[in-house]
Amino acid sequence: AQSVTQLGSHVSVSEGALVLLRCNYSSSVPPYLFWYVQYPNQGLQLLLKYTSAATLVKGINGFEAEFKKSETSFHLTKPSAHMSDAAEYFCAVSDPWNGNTGKLIFGQGTTLQVKP
Amino acid sequence: EAGVTQFPSHSVIEKGQTVTLRCDPISGHDNLYWYRRVMGKEIKFLLHFVKESKQDESGMPNNRFLAERTGGTYSTLKVQPAELEDSGVYFCASSQDLTRTQETQYFGPGTRLLVL
């Protein structure tokens, strides 16, 4: 069965520093990959998604992620953190090849803290 | 355009009581998903509707959970009788087109359920 691993439940960076949130998936066939963000008291919002087109995906708010098949990874990066980036980030996959209904399988989430 | 809405935002009930959660998807979205996040764990899929039909209910924990989507519009998720382990955040999401399994799912803010 598909699984998603997010390394680090909490990540702390200084404002202006690089943000790197890690995500690895388990699948021999590339799935569709998503990053969602949840701000306090809000629903999950899509940051970006990979659906077998370009391996470097650009999303909203300056975030991007690179799909690396050889590493089964889809890490999320942002060159310069802003205070408003403090939130919880979720990596998710869906499997398009096994009668999938679009359901998402999530990692455990990573809380990003941005220090002034 | 209104997003996915969920009601109530919070619910505190006693063990053994019944609770009904409601989700209104984005207008025109045929796909409706329920997910749950138990504290400290990942967000997990519960079930998926296509219009009024249950497409996949493989994630439903047990028969104390009943989901309906009469008329293919809003959905309800009833827990009867509630147990302590049912506490968590229940998310609803909707998407437009099942034939494109990479379709973005739009999430509601969630219902925070606490069973005492």
Side-chain angles (χ1 to χ4, degrees):
Chain A
Q2 278 276 14
S3 67
V4 179
T5 302
Q6 291 183 238
L7 189 62
S9 59
H10 288 82
V11 171
S12 182
V13 300
S14 297
E15 191 173 20
L18 171 72
V19 176
L20 171 60
L21 304 182
R22 300 178 187 273
C23 173
N24 288 86
Y25 64 92
S26 66
S27 175
S28 58
V29 178
Y32 295 143
L33 294 149
F34 306 80
W35 274 99
Y36 280 86
V37 60
Q38 185 181 24
Y39 299 103
N41 300 315
Q42 295 186 28
L44 279 71
Q45 179 183 2
L46 183 71
L47 275 177
L48 48 80
K49 62 182 179 183
Y50 167 77
T51 57
S52 72
T55 57
L56 182 61
V57 182
K58 294 186 183 299
I60 62 172
N61 301 337
F63 285 93
E64 62 182 38
E66 185 173 7
F67 170 70
K68 291 187 176 180
K69 182 179 177 181
S70 60
E71 299 178 6
T72 60
S73 68
F74 191 57
H75 302 331
L76 182 71
T77 61
K78 181 174 180 177
S80 176
H82 191 273
M83 296 298 290
S84 60
D85 294 327
E88 190 164 18
Y89 292 78
F90 297 92
C91 182
V93 304
S94 70
D95 183 351
W97 312 115
N98 293 312
N100 177 52
T101 64
K103 71 181 181 185
L104 297 173
I105 299 166
F106 285 89
Q108 289 201 316
T110 298
T111 299
L112 176 66
Q113 179 188 24
V114 182
K115 298 177 291 185
Chain B
E1 178 182 298
V4 177
T5 58
Q6 294 186 245
F7 182 83
S9 59
H10 295 76
S11 180
V12 181
I13 62 172
E14 292 189 351
K15 175 182 172 181
Q17 289 186 322
T18 298
V19 63
T20 300
L21 314 180
R22 174 172 169 143
C23 168
D24 287 78
I26 293 173
S27 178
H29 281 194
D30 287 342
N31 298 290
L32 188 149
Y33 301 82
W34 283 98
Y35 295 87
R36 176 176 75 171
R37 189 182 195 192
V38 172
M39 185 176 292
K41 300 288 186 69
E42 69 272 24
I43 299 170
K44 284 195 172 180
F45 167 81
L46 295 178
L47 87 159
H48 170 214
F49 284 98
V50 177
K51 298 185 180 180
E52 68 275 8
S53 299
K54 292 176 185 175
Q55 187 78 10
D56 180 358
E57 49 185 333
S58 62
M60 293 288 264
N62 51 61
N63 59 10
R64 295 186 293 104
F65 289 75
L66 175 64
E68 296 180 324
R69 193 183 181 193
T70 307
T73 54
Y74 71 91
S75 174
T76 58
L77 180 64
K78 180 190 289 187
V79 185
Q80 179 182 29
E83 298 289 345
L84 300 180
E85 63 264 25
D86 300 333
S87 297
V89 182
Y90 290 77
F91 292 102
C92 175
S94 71
S95 69
Q96 190 168 20
D97 186 354
L98 179 64
T99 60
R100 300 171 58 202
T101 53
Q102 72 273 31
E103 194 84 355
T104 297
Q105 293 183 26
Y106 296 88
F107 281 75
T111 293
R112 285 151 183 77
L113 174 64
L114 178 60
V115 183
L116 300 176

